[in-house]
Amino acid sequence: MKQGLRFTMAVEFDIDLDTVKKIEFLFKQKGNSSDTALKTATYPGDTKRKGTENIILIPWSQEETYRFSSGKSFYLDTRITLNDTDNQPETNIVELAMNPTLFSEE
């Protein structure tokens, strides 16, 4: 990802999204629970599904990209709630990178 761009992030799941009640997305600069979330998103809610595929599209604003340090890693964690059970499938924390830009913040 690059700072200062408006874009849509596609997140693909190995689970059938028709079985999902809710997915919470949490983006943090550091990979620990005590760090503050700099961006959150939910499905359904402020995200959308790509057709009938198991892909969720998360919109990013320019402002949101500047919340993360350029040239540094940041992290995405997801929490999935299924329709028919209280069990929540385990998901991995994903390491991402925010690339710098030469444009200044608007």
Side-chain angles (χ1 to χ4, degrees):
M1 278 183 241
K2 185 177 179 181
Q3 279 187 327
L5 297 181
R6 288 182 303 276
F7 64 93
T8 301
M9 172 189 276
V11 180
E12 185 171 8
F13 290 90
D14 290 335
I15 190 168
D16 180 0
L17 292 179
D18 291 330
T19 66
V20 170
K21 180 178 182 179
K22 179 180 177 181
I23 303 174
E24 299 167 87
F25 298 89
L26 193 65
F27 296 88
K28 293 185 173 191
Q29 187 68 63
K30 298 177 185 169
N32 62 55
S33 61
S34 62
D35 195 35
T36 302
L38 299 179
K39 177 175 173 61
T40 60
T42 57
Y43 169 82
D46 47 1
T47 65
K48 61 182 177 180
R49 185 174 180 178
K50 183 178 180 184
T52 58
E53 298 178 56
N54 292 327
I55 298 173
I56 301 297
L57 303 172
I58 303 171
W60 282 72
S61 68
Q62 287 177 316
E63 177 185 88
E64 288 171 327
T65 65
Y66 283 112
R67 293 178 189 164
F68 296 87
S69 299
S70 67
K72 304 274 185 179
S73 294
F74 69 102
Y75 301 88
L76 163 62
D77 196 4
T78 55
R79 182 168 37 202
I80 299 171
T81 303
L82 300 175
N83 288 323
D84 60 353
T85 181
D86 289 335
N87 293 329
Q88 294 177 308
E90 185 175 342
T91 59
N92 294 324
I93 295 173
V94 179
E95 184 176 1
L96 304 165
M98 185 60 70
N99 295 317
T101 183
L102 298 179
F103 291 93
S104 61
E105 196 171 347
E106 295 176 12

